[in-house]
Amino acid sequence: MKIKAIIAAVLLSTSVVQAEEINLEVPQNVTLEQGLEAWARMYEVVSHPRCSNCHVGESDRPMWSGPSYGKARPHGMNIRAGESRIGVETLECATCHVGSTSDQPHTPPGVDGDWRLAPVEAAWFGRGSLEICGQLRNPETNGGLSFQEIAGHLGHDVVLQFAWKPGGGREPAPYSLEEHASDVLMWGAAGMPCPTE
Amino acid sequence: MKLTVNGTEHTLDVEPEMPLLWVLRDELKITGPKYGCGIAQCGACTVHVDGSAVRSCSITVGDVDGDVTTIEGLGTPDSLHAVQAAWVAHQVAQCGYCQSGQIMQAASFLDLNSEPTDEDIDNAMSANLCRCGTYPRIREAVKTAAKTLNEA
Ligand code: FES
Ligand code: FES
């Protein structure tokens, strides 16, 4: 079956285009309290619709939610991203989400890379701070990444950078890409603490 | 700027921000792809870029990275693409406005998924709207085309 080969090819070629320079220096002498503050800001970002709408866990349906969408609902047109997470089984995300983001309202945003859903394990939509924190610091559910690698990945994965320049009148994720990456490093330097500790 | 459409290379004098659909229809007079909504909500403008379905209203010509195929280049009257032949066999079209987009979408879908389930077909085609409601015939024609392509 042809799909399998295509999925394999797609997974091998993750969208690493246009790196954005971010400072990856790990801060020293970070207290637990500072680490938890950094996590609180990180949670504001990861639970924001610009991020969580595509972090839908087991589901393969992207969400439409946030200030410009009214009531939260699954992506219109019965869009399914499938096991591939980029829709090759049915309708590729890139059929509409292709090229650059236009500033016209109601147009599909795009980036110079694969538009896609996040991996199943990175389930954020509707989840609380503790749950997401636990997922992000566990190598079994975070893609085996160190905190430095998580911060680094923000610098070169253009689909994530979309969250801060969404265009089309959409509300951007809070803070900035640079601030978010520096919070990841601060949280990591404090030992990746989660709120109950 | 150069753009290859249906095997012919064209030299264009347009802004790179111009949507591909405008270039096809207004500059190159290739009018198979239709304008329905302009915001990727209907599928009437669907073409292929290197074989993958793309909503031509929602990609700028400057962002096109590959060869474009429109319904005019999918098959010829003497040698129809399997999807076009299935469309004729099932007499799918009513007014026809959405149909070039439907056919282009179905052709690229079957290229990716040669053994679709009924559910796959519905999911793949659900972003192509048809005001005439030809959906049941579309589903049957996609099944027929899949069979033809698998036998080939
Ligand atoms: S005109 Fe392009 S999707 Fe409607
Ligand atoms: S045949 Fe009339 S809109 Fe589809």
Side-chain angles (χ1 to χ4, degrees):
Chain A
M1 174 114 170
K2 214 168 161 189
I3 285 189
K4 298 249 165 61
I6 291 166
I7 293 176
V10 164
L11 293 179
L12 286 174
S13 69
T14 44
S15 55
V16 180
V17 202
Q18 272 181 7
E20 195 137 320
E21 278 309 311
I22 55 173
N23 182 2
L24 289 178
E25 210 176 305
V26 180
Q28 300 298 309
N29 307 319
V30 179
T31 65
L32 177 64
E33 201 187 341
Q34 286 171 316
L36 286 170
E37 282 165 11
W39 167 256
R41 288 188 296 270
M42 282 171 67
Y43 178 66
E44 284 181 63
V45 173
V46 299
S47 59
H48 186 277
R50 284 296 81 65
C51 300
S52 67
N53 280 346
C54 289
H55 278 262
V56 289
E58 288 288 330
S59 164
D60 70 346
R61 309 191 66 179
M63 293 297 291
W64 279 354
S65 78
S68 46
Y69 289 92
K71 197 162 163 266
R73 61 192 190 282
H75 191 304
M77 300 169 261
N78 191 30
I79 293 303
R80 319 297 300 246
E83 222 180 296
S84 68
R85 311 300 270 178
I86 59 164
V88 281
E89 296 87 344
T90 52
L91 180 62
E92 289 177 275
C93 305
T95 302
C96 303
H97 297 280
V98 59
S100 36
T101 297
S102 145
D103 237 355
Q104 298 300 316
H106 313 298
T107 53
V111 292
D112 189 8
D114 292 326
W115 196 261
R116 64 189 191 276
L117 285 186
V120 173
E121 309 78 58
W124 297 353
F125 191 87
R127 304 284 169 108
S129 166
L130 197 56
E131 225 174 330
I132 300 181
C133 186
Q135 177 265 313
L136 269 177
R137 72 173 179 182
N138 179 354
E140 288 188 6
T141 52
N142 79 0
L145 301 179
S146 67
F147 69 87
Q148 291 99 322
E149 286 167 328
I150 297 177
H153 153 75
L154 285 160
H156 51 64
D157 198 337
V158 288
V159 82
L160 309 184
Q161 295 165 8
F162 153 81
W164 288 277
K165 36 184 180 189
R170 298 173 194 89
E171 183 181 279
Y175 310 106
S176 65
L177 172 68
E178 295 72 25
E179 287 168 311
H180 183 58
S182 101
D183 278 335
V184 172
L185 294 168
M186 181 157 330
W187 173 66
M192 303 169 114
C194 289
T196 51
E197 291 169 6
Chain B
M1 181 186 307
K2 303 242 186 265
L3 185 72
T4 301
V5 184
N6 301 331
T8 306
E9 189 180 273
H10 299 271
T11 303
L12 300 165
D13 180 19
V14 298
E15 302 289 325
E17 292 79 29
M18 186 181 267
L20 174 60
L21 179 61
W22 275 233
V23 172
L24 294 173
R25 293 185 57 88
D26 294 351
E27 299 289 324
L28 301 177
K29 312 294 178 202
I30 297 172
T31 53
K34 298 289 185 271
Y35 175 84
C37 65
I39 54 170
Q41 295 274 341
C42 75
C45 65
T46 305
V47 301
H48 295 173
V49 175
D50 281 349
S52 289
V54 169
R55 303 292 187 251
S56 63
C57 68
S58 294
I59 183 169
T60 64
V61 65
D63 279 338
V64 173
D65 183 16
D67 291 355
V68 176
T69 307
T70 68
I71 187 89
E72 287 88 345
L74 188 69
T76 63
D78 301 330
S79 162
L80 293 176
H81 183 279
V83 173
Q84 292 170 312
W87 246 247
V88 173
H90 288 272
Q91 290 292 294
V92 174
Q94 188 158 319
C95 81
Y97 198 79
C98 71
Q99 298 293 341
S100 102
Q102 305 278 5
I103 291 171
M104 296 309 280
Q105 184 61 50
S108 120
F109 163 58
L110 291 176
D111 194 34
L112 286 171
N113 185 348
S114 57
E115 290 162 26
T117 62
D118 285 8
E119 203 191 345
D120 287 343
I121 296 174
D122 289 351
N123 291 342
M125 303 303 295
S126 62
N128 283 77
L129 304 186
C130 174
R131 288 176 305 178
C132 302
T134 61
Y135 303 112
R137 294 202 293 273
I138 289 174
R139 191 187 297 128
E140 289 315 306
V142 173
K143 280 192 220 169
T144 300
K147 229 164 121 211
T148 319
L149 288 166
N150 283 330
E151 280 162 6

